[in-house]
Amino acid sequence: MAVERTTVDLDDFPDLVVILLGMRAHSLRGLRTLLSFGPQIRRSVLARPDGLLLHENLVVSPRHLAMRQYWRDFDSLERWARELPHQAWWQAYVRDTRGTGFWHETYTRRGGFESVYLNMGASPIGLLKVVEPVPARGSMFGSRRRLGRGEPAAAPAVREDELYGER
């Protein structure tokens, strides 16, 4: 039987963004944290945020869950990340990871990649296995800057000075 090859025509999606996100539990507390995010994420996806084209859940391992999302463009993704409920989730999470590690990697059709990793420990994942890590501070703090798109139009969910206590 011949192999059926198909592809996709992305002409209607010139600014397509794919983001992979994951959370790994480091402890029993972390497993509870990991599982508590499922219903919250499900509700946010069902609310159909503007620009979200597709959301898929992925299982890396029993203690490491991930998701893949396709967004119409980076501005839609960024706008959603700076609004509720995501803004509140991120503010709470970066102050107390509750026994978990978190990561995301963003890929844009126009060629930009960016990533951030929080408390991933001795078991790196993705680009963290390929490229030497650097602190996500200063020009590397926000995803827009990591993508080389300048300063964000809206305030980040958590500012660097708030997170690190700098003035």
Side-chain angles (χ1 to χ4, degrees):
M1 179 192 271
V3 172
E4 181 181 339
R5 284 183 77 203
T6 59
T7 188
V8 294
D9 180 349
L10 294 174
D11 286 347
D12 291 338
F13 301 95
D15 298 313
L16 184 71
V17 173
V18 178
I19 184 167
L20 302 174
L21 307 104
M23 184 178 277
R24 180 189 298 149
H26 296 304
S27 65
L28 199 50
R29 179 182 185 221
L31 193 54
R32 286 190 299 271
T33 301
L34 178 67
L35 297 176
S36 75
F37 272 89
Q40 296 174 63
I41 292 167
R42 190 174 312 109
R43 281 191 298 275
S44 74
V45 169
L46 290 174
R48 301 181 52 89
D50 181 47
L52 178 62
L53 303 172
L54 178 67
H55 169 92
E56 298 176 312
N57 293 314
L58 308 169
V59 176
V60 179
S61 76
R63 65 182 187 99
H64 190 166
L65 303 180
M67 45 190 152
R68 175 176 44 219
Q69 295 180 336
Y70 296 86
W71 288 81
R72 177 183 60 235
D73 53 49
F74 181 78
D75 290 341
S76 297
L77 169 59
E78 183 181 48
R79 191 170 36 258
W80 182 81
R82 296 184 186 318
E83 297 172 350
L84 296 175
H86 182 272
Q87 181 186 39
W89 298 342
W90 193 243
Q91 288 171 344
Y93 184 77
V94 296
R95 288 180 173 87
D96 182 1
T97 61
R98 299 183 319 236
T100 64
F102 172 84
W103 59 273
H104 85 234
E105 295 181 353
T106 307
Y107 309 93
T108 68
R109 181 155 185 236
R110 296 194 185 262
F113 289 13
E114 70 85 22
S115 59
V116 71
Y117 310 88
L118 285 75
N119 296 344
M120 289 306 291
S123 300
I125 187 165
L127 290 170
L128 200 54
K129 287 181 164 182
V130 177
V131 180
E132 187 68 28
V134 298
R137 305 282 297 268
S139 66
M140 298 298 276
F141 185 73
S143 58
R144 178 170 285 275
R145 286 189 260 165
R146 288 190 299 268
L147 280 170
R149 294 179 181 217
E151 294 297 317
V158 177
R159 292 189 332 258
E160 186 173 7
D161 62 334
E162 291 174 313
L163 187 57
Y164 295 108
E166 300 167 355
R167 295 283 170 221

